Amino acid sequence: MSVRHRRRLVPAVVTALALVLTGCADVVDGRPHAASAPNAHLQVKGADDGKFDQTVQNALSDIEAFWRRNFPKVSGGKALTPLKGGLYSVDGLQVARTGHLTGPVTQNACAQKDTAFVVDNGAFCTLDDSIAWDRAPTHLFAQLADKYGPLMVALIFAHEFGHSISYRLGVFDRDDLKVIDTESQADCAAGAWAASALKGEDPHFRNTTPAKLDNALEGFLDGRDSTPDAPDEISHGNGFDRLSALADGIAKGVTYCFSPGYFASRTFTERPFTSAQDAADNGNQPFADVVTLSNNGLVQDLNRFWTAAAKTIGKTFQPVKIAEANHPKCAADSASEFGYCADDNTVYFNRAFAQTVYSSLPGVTSDRTTGNVTLVSDQPADFALGVLFAIAWGMAVRHQLFGRSQSDKAALLAAVCYSGAYSKNINIAEGAPGHEFTLSPADLDEATSAMLDQVGKPEAYGARGTTGLDRIQSFVKGYKQGVSSC
């Protein structure tokens, strides 16, 4: 986050190969009913038969079956054609160490063009219609799989297979699209597949639950691109862009993702830092500035926004204040360490809990020589904490302006939606007229992470029957549609 004048808050390439599933569960009324499906055995060039490769094969078998059912809906009735170029599993660590390709991947058109193509990567190659991935245990995907599980792996490959659908529909032939457009469409496709998994329609992911999906979404966010250094480095979009597209796919399905108007419906928020200083600290204010009780820029700006919003409907918003306490005075739950109390119009926060939220962003560090990665989970995230305050102001809006509940599911989703609308208002260039307080490029990722992991904690607002996906969808709705949508 930023307060003015002081520190504050792979291009897709396509190929196609028939996916050969040697064993499958019985299906009744379109839904698999066996307890579990046997492992899939696909024709994978270079596979080592390890755990990660098997997980990928199970995922791709279900994803390809999903698209056999659904491709006619987006292709004018045409059947899905198999991948022509094949599937490639590669030891990316060996490639990184030697700088050379060996084995079957030497046949892959994208790897031939760029030896490092597959290192720490999973990609659809448009040059030969293939999908390749790095299976090295110390590299990105295997590390993410160990932490977040098979469903996260499936989301990655649902994204890559989504590129193959775009390829078959001629999307990559369009000159008017940027890389981020086609990446967004692939994320949407991954969401459409995830909705199928939630319904129990995918034999290897029949036990998918909302909680498991939330965990997989955290992994998907963890594997996001870093903030670009320049506009021409923007590719996949930031975590907010990616998870909003994925959430749309879950909610609206394949016909939305591959509709003629899809690209016009998408807006993107990823942008580079505008100063070396902002990039150096990832746009973060010091923790002490976020929770200061005196001259707090976030508090002042939230009151500014809601005072102005209330005037547009002929009402008056009474500015909210913050105070430090072990528990909010009005908290019914002893676990609560953060919340809004209507009786004294105050947001109470426990300093120790606030510090854990501030230091909650997952991330990845990597060795550029070997490609080895380390997953970290305690990176500074000022707007993860900032959005918890913004949600509290949303509760104040419900109480002050509409006399509505603050303790149930509807209250939480509405307050999250309000926080999205506020975030849109301040996600502008630093120094914009009338804005002393603005978001830094990484802040929306921090807010998205908080929606998944922090907001629903008992110490914060509690889940109240919501999932992380529910909260992301409400946040995105507020961001894109504004206050009136909440």
Side-chain angles (χ1 to χ4, degrees):
M1 297 181 288
S2 299
V3 176
R4 197 180 302 171
H5 302 315
R6 72 181 178 91
R7 291 307 304 147
R8 52 207 181 226
L9 292 168
V10 186
V13 210
V14 191
T15 157
L17 160 76
L19 303 181
V20 182
L21 178 60
T22 61
C24 59
D26 291 336
V27 176
V28 176
D29 297 329
R31 293 175 65 88
H33 67 269
S36 61
N39 283 331
H41 297 287
L42 311 185
Q43 298 174 11
V44 181
K45 302 173 184 179
D48 70 349
D49 298 322
K51 179 181 178 182
F52 182 76
D53 272 357
Q54 187 60 69
T55 299
V56 175
Q57 290 181 65
N58 289 344
L60 283 172
S61 68
D62 285 6
I63 293 161
E64 189 262 355
F66 167 83
W67 278 109
R68 282 203 311 268
R69 300 192 301 269
N70 287 279
F71 187 71
K73 298 177 183 178
V74 299
S75 65
K78 296 179 182 178
L80 178 70
T81 57
L83 292 173
K84 296 175 183 176
L87 302 176
Y88 293 87
S89 171
V90 184
D91 182 352
L93 180 58
Q94 182 184 39
V95 176
R97 283 174 170 169
T98 66
H100 298 292
L101 302 173
T102 59
V105 74
T106 57
Q107 304 167 24
N108 181 275
C110 289
Q112 290 172 0
K113 196 170 184 178
D114 179 5
T115 301
F117 163 73
V118 77
V119 176
D120 276 320
N121 199 17
F124 171 72
C125 179
T126 55
L127 299 180
D128 64 2
D129 193 26
S130 64
I131 293 176
W133 62 87
D134 180 353
R135 68 169 182 270
T138 54
H139 283 193
L140 180 62
F141 287 162
Q143 289 290 301
L144 289 172
D146 285 346
K147 182 174 181 179
Y148 296 104
L151 185 59
M152 189 282 310
V153 176
L155 288 180
I156 291 173
F157 286 91
H159 169 98
E160 299 308 334
F161 207 90
H163 281 313
S164 78
I165 302 303
S166 300
Y167 177 80
R168 280 153 179 71
L169 297 175
V171 171
F172 290 105
D173 296 331
R174 292 177 53 173
D175 295 330
D176 60 321
L177 299 179
K178 298 179 180 179
V179 171
I180 196 171
D181 292 311
T182 53
E183 294 296 342
S184 173
Q185 188 170 61
D187 285 336
C188 188
W193 175 81
S196 170
L198 280 171
K199 295 175 184 175
E201 296 173 348
D202 296 81
H204 295 95
F205 295 88
R206 189 176 292 110
N207 63 351
T208 296
T209 63
K212 288 183 178 180
L213 179 58
D214 280 354
N215 184 64
L217 292 176
E218 286 195 54
F220 204 78
L221 178 68
D222 203 348
R224 69 194 180 278
D225 292 345
S226 58
T227 301
D229 293 327
D232 61 3
E233 293 182 7
I234 292 173
S235 60
H236 289 77
N238 58 19
F240 174 83
D241 295 333
R242 300 201 66 180
L243 290 192
S244 66
L246 200 147
D248 277 346
I250 292 173
K252 302 175 183 178
V254 297
T255 54
Y256 167 74
C257 301
F258 293 92
S259 64
Y262 175 77
F263 297 112
S265 73
R266 298 297 301 167
T267 56
F268 302 107
T269 64
E270 186 176 29
R271 54 191 170 90
F273 290 111
T274 56
S275 72
Q277 185 178 9
D278 215 24
D281 59 15
N282 211 35
N284 287 307
Q285 276 188 282
F287 170 72
D289 287 358
V290 184
V291 298
T292 182
L293 303 181
S294 175
N295 196 32
N296 186 304
L298 176 60
V299 170
Q300 294 170 4
D301 199 65
L302 281 162
N303 284 327
R304 182 251 341 147
F305 176 79
W306 286 113
T307 297
K311 286 181 179 178
T312 65
I313 58 172
K315 296 189 176 185
T316 300
F317 181 79
Q318 298 297 328
V320 176
K321 57 184 180 293
I322 64 173
E324 188 175 338
N326 287 334
H327 303 281
K329 291 183 178 180
C330 59
D333 188 338
S334 60
S336 178
E337 297 180 359
F338 197 107
Y340 170 72
C341 290
D343 55 356
D344 61 359
N345 200 32
T346 299
V347 176
Y348 291 92
F349 66 93
N350 177 296
R351 191 177 188 89
F353 175 65
Q355 177 70 71
T356 67
V357 177
Y358 178 92
S359 303
S360 65
L361 188 67
V364 175
T365 61
S366 62
D367 183 323
R368 294 188 178 184
T369 301
T370 64
N372 291 339
V373 303
T374 301
L375 303 184
V376 293
S377 57
D378 55 358
Q379 301 304 290
D382 61 354
F383 201 56
L385 178 55
V387 82
L388 257 67
F389 280 109
I391 292 170
W393 259 254
M395 297 292 185
V397 169
R398 283 179 64 83
H399 169 70
Q400 289 191 31
L401 304 187
F402 305 109
R404 293 175 180 161
S405 66
Q406 301 153 63
S407 59
D408 56 6
K409 177 179 180 179
L412 178 57
L413 291 180
V416 166
C417 183
Y418 284 139
S419 74
Y422 169 69
S423 299
K424 174 65 178 293
N425 181 263
I426 60 172
N427 191 29
I428 54 178
E430 185 176 356
H435 286 269
E436 295 294 325
F437 196 87
T438 58
L439 293 187
S440 293
D443 282 335
L444 283 181
D445 282 359
E446 296 167 5
T448 304
S449 176
M451 293 302 161
L452 282 170
D453 190 45
Q454 302 299 321
V455 174
K457 285 184 174 180
E459 298 92 334
Y461 297 98
R464 307 188 192 188
T466 68
T467 65
L469 176 62
D470 292 333
R471 297 187 291 270
I472 286 175
Q473 288 173 324
S474 289
F475 183 74
V476 171
K477 181 173 77 169
Y479 188 94
K480 291 187 174 181
Q481 301 177 32
V483 169
S484 61
S485 70
C486 303

